[in-house]
Amino acid sequence: MTLSSFSRYRAEWYSGPAAARRDVLAGMVGTFALIPEVIAFAFVAGIDPEVGLFASFVIGIVIAFAGGRPAMISGAAGSVALVAAALVQAHGLSYLLAATVLAGIFQIAFGLARLDMLMRFVSRSVRTGFVNALAILIFSAQVPQMLGVTWHTHAMIALGLAIIYLLPRLTTAIPSPLICIVALTAIAAWVPMPLRTVADLGRLPDALPGFALPAIPFDWATLAIVAPYALAMAAVGLLESMMTARVVDDLTETTSPKARECTGLGLANVAAGLFGGIAGCGMIGQTVGNVRYGGRGRLSTLVAGVFLLIVMVPLRPWVAQVPVAALVAIMVMVSISTFSWGSLRDLRRHPRVSGIVMLATVVVTVATHDLSMGVAVGVLLSGVFFAFKVSRLMAVRVEHDVDSDTRTYIVSGQVFFASAEMFADRFDLRDDARHVRIDLTAAHLWDVTAVGALEEVVAAMRRHGIAVEVVGLNQASAVLVDRHAPLMRDATA
């Protein structure tokens, strides 16, 4: 680590007492925002809540030191749980722990190979759709907690939202969600009401996590079972973490090393699997909440993990009495602040294809409850629309010199798989001119499809007795032609 990078790393931990206080308080709020989602996704994965909570504690500690994006909250939730569910159902928890360790190893390898650069292909429309879909999923996850309950629950949720949104007008010294939790817990203890509490959500841990290797046979048969799930968990986890890191970059107007985030998440997941936890990833809802309430440094991430353990073990009896209504109010606030409301206005101002990509990402994600599927569809649509747009920029202009009876086809633009057929259709293969010149000075051949189209045009004209000359090839295009169409060498100049 160079001196400058060390100074930056130190500043990410401590940049003054005021920033440290904000990090600590924001991290504490992030802990309470973690609890309901981690428990909910533990049920999705078919494991005890304590497995998810242990993992979130370990991941939070490791990622605070090894991650690349300060102020980012990572834990055992998200689409990773959907991938893990099938493995748990078929083979049990021990195989899940092994898959978690292997997924972490894959992620470390991805980071070292700098595969984070693939995120450059994720457009802003896809990122906006990802954020909006996640906001919808966060809100929809709270709906079951608001159905089939008495009016007391609705009243407490309303009171919690009032505290969260109105208290900052009086003071911002303490994050209002933290006050919401304390106030609603005190009210519930003082006035007995039929309310669900955190204890009703599932078994909470009553001891510290312990180190242990997964109890499975270490042979090729086990690897064949675990590897496909581990690779899927690694890919999904990295996708969500990279998207979350990009969102924080936008919110804080800073940059972060994404490759380091990949390796940091890998180390965190290896540790999680060895301490009896499920694999995790960046949690955008909790991260946005952390940033909104002042978290900017690594200290907020560390506090979120450490405070989770403190809350879950020594303070377990007290935490068990926290009303679920308080957690629901916080998550509703997070969903509202996560949603990009400006994107609705942009649907009319931005190009139509951008709106289609954003809406498709939202619809697919919400329909499948799989963030990676929504992003994949969005990236695919972005690529198709981009290819279609670029292909339409290709043009062929025709000039004829009567004295030499030479017809010149002047090509401009990009010739690749999406425009190659259009390129070939611009030529009269039965041209009555004695000489044909194809001028590619203002064009570029990108792939073998483009080279193949050019070769077919030249070959067809030659079969009809036309002398064909290809001029203006740039160096990159000439290399492609020389490599994939060697019979055209005598036609190029």
Side-chain angles (χ1 to χ4, degrees):
M1 181 179 291
T2 64
L3 183 60
S4 60
S5 60
F6 176 77
S7 298
R8 177 179 176 179
Y9 183 75
R10 184 176 59 182
E12 290 172 351
W13 274 104
Y14 183 80
S15 57
R21 180 179 61 83
R22 288 194 301 269
D23 280 345
V24 170
L25 294 177
M28 292 170 66
V29 173
T31 295
F32 284 100
L34 272 171
I35 294 171
E37 188 166 344
V38 170
I39 292 176
F41 277 101
F43 283 115
V44 170
I47 56 179
D48 289 332
E50 65 177 5
V51 177
L53 293 169
F54 279 158
S56 298
F57 159 68
V58 174
I59 291 171
I61 300 296
V62 176
I63 207 75
F65 291 94
R69 174 67 259 180
M72 189 162 133
I73 304 297
S74 298
S79 300
V80 174
L82 299 174
V83 177
L87 178 60
V88 173
Q89 184 177 3
H91 300 282
L93 177 61
S94 295
Y95 280 81
L96 173 62
L97 301 181
T100 296
V101 174
L102 185 57
I105 294 173
F106 282 145
Q107 289 169 338
I108 294 172
F110 291 161
L112 295 177
R114 300 302 303 271
L115 295 184
D116 59 290
M117 291 188 292
L118 294 176
M119 283 298 298
R120 296 177 182 176
F121 296 98
V122 180
S123 67
R124 186 177 186 87
S125 299
V126 176
R127 295 201 303 270
T128 302
F130 171 88
V131 169
N132 290 345
L134 190 60
I136 294 172
L137 290 178
I138 291 173
F139 181 83
S140 63
Q142 313 313 311
V143 173
Q145 305 295 341
M146 295 184 278
L147 300 178
V149 296
T150 64
W151 66 269
H152 305 84
T153 299
H154 296 146
M156 292 287 273
I157 294 174
L159 177 60
L161 289 171
I163 293 174
I164 289 171
Y165 284 106
L166 297 179
L167 189 63
R169 298 185 179 184
L170 301 177
T171 178
T172 57
I174 300 177
S176 58
L178 193 58
I179 297 178
C180 166
I181 291 171
V182 175
L184 266 59
T185 303
I187 292 173
W190 182 43
V191 182
M193 289 179 283
L195 297 173
R196 295 190 70 199
T197 64
V198 170
D200 298 321
L201 297 179
R203 177 184 172 187
L204 300 176
D206 53 8
L208 297 177
F211 178 88
L213 293 175
I216 57 170
F218 291 91
D219 53 27
W220 290 110
T222 300
L223 182 62
I225 294 172
V226 168
Y229 291 99
L231 184 60
M233 291 163 65
V236 169
L238 285 179
L239 177 62
E240 292 199 39
S241 291
M242 293 300 98
M243 296 288 285
T244 303
R246 182 65 64 86
V247 169
V248 180
D249 289 350
D250 293 341
L251 287 175
T252 59
E253 298 181 343
T254 59
T255 59
S256 59
K258 303 301 185 297
R260 182 173 177 182
E261 186 64 34
C262 293
T263 55
L265 180 63
L267 291 171
N269 281 329
V270 169
L274 295 177
F275 280 91
I278 185 178
C281 59
M283 301 173 68
I284 190 169
Q286 286 70 19
T287 298
V288 169
N290 182 47
V291 174
R292 298 284 188 199
Y293 285 95
R296 290 294 186 275
R298 295 179 180 273
L299 183 59
S300 64
T301 305
L302 180 66
V303 168
V306 172
F307 193 61
L308 177 63
L309 186 67
I310 294 175
V311 164
M312 286 291 97
V313 181
L315 301 182
R316 181 173 176 269
W318 183 84
V319 173
Q321 301 306 312
V322 173
V324 172
L327 305 182
V328 171
I330 293 175
M331 297 306 292
V332 169
M333 175 275 297
V334 170
S335 68
I336 292 174
S337 62
T338 300
F339 194 91
S340 177
W341 298 99
S343 64
L344 300 180
R345 180 183 63 253
D346 293 339
L347 286 175
R348 292 187 299 176
R349 298 191 306 159
H350 288 179
R352 184 175 299 177
V353 293
S354 297
I356 293 174
V357 170
M358 190 272 285
L359 292 175
T361 303
V362 172
V363 170
V364 173
T365 300
V366 173
T368 62
H369 283 65
D370 189 340
L371 292 166
S372 61
M373 183 67 70
V375 172
V377 171
V379 170
L380 179 62
L381 282 178
S382 296
V384 171
F385 288 143
F386 174 77
F388 179 73
K389 182 178 180 179
V390 173
S391 68
R392 296 181 64 184
L393 298 178
M394 193 276 302
V396 179
R397 180 165 53 90
V398 183
E399 296 179 354
H400 184 231
D401 184 352
V402 178
D403 294 336
S404 62
D405 194 18
T406 300
R407 185 131 20 225
T408 302
Y409 292 85
I410 303 173
V411 185
S412 60
Q414 313 303 313
V415 187
F416 62 115
F417 66 89
S419 61
E421 184 175 351
M422 188 185 306
F423 164 81
D425 290 341
R426 295 294 189 271
F427 295 89
D428 182 2
L429 301 182
R430 296 179 179 272
D431 203 311
D432 55 4
R434 288 189 304 165
H435 304 284
V436 167
R437 178 183 292 111
I438 302 177
D439 188 350
L440 297 171
T441 303
H444 183 83
L445 305 181
W446 282 99
D447 54 21
V448 293
T449 305
V451 173
L454 177 62
E455 185 179 31
E456 290 174 4
V457 167
V458 172
M461 287 184 170
R462 284 178 170 177
R463 284 196 298 268
H464 292 92
I466 304 172
V468 184
E469 179 186 15
V470 180
V471 300
L473 281 172
N474 58 34
Q475 183 177 0
S477 300
V479 170
L480 274 178
V481 170
D482 185 63
R483 182 177 301 168
H484 300 288
L487 296 180
M488 282 184 52
R489 290 173 184 169
D490 60 336
T492 59

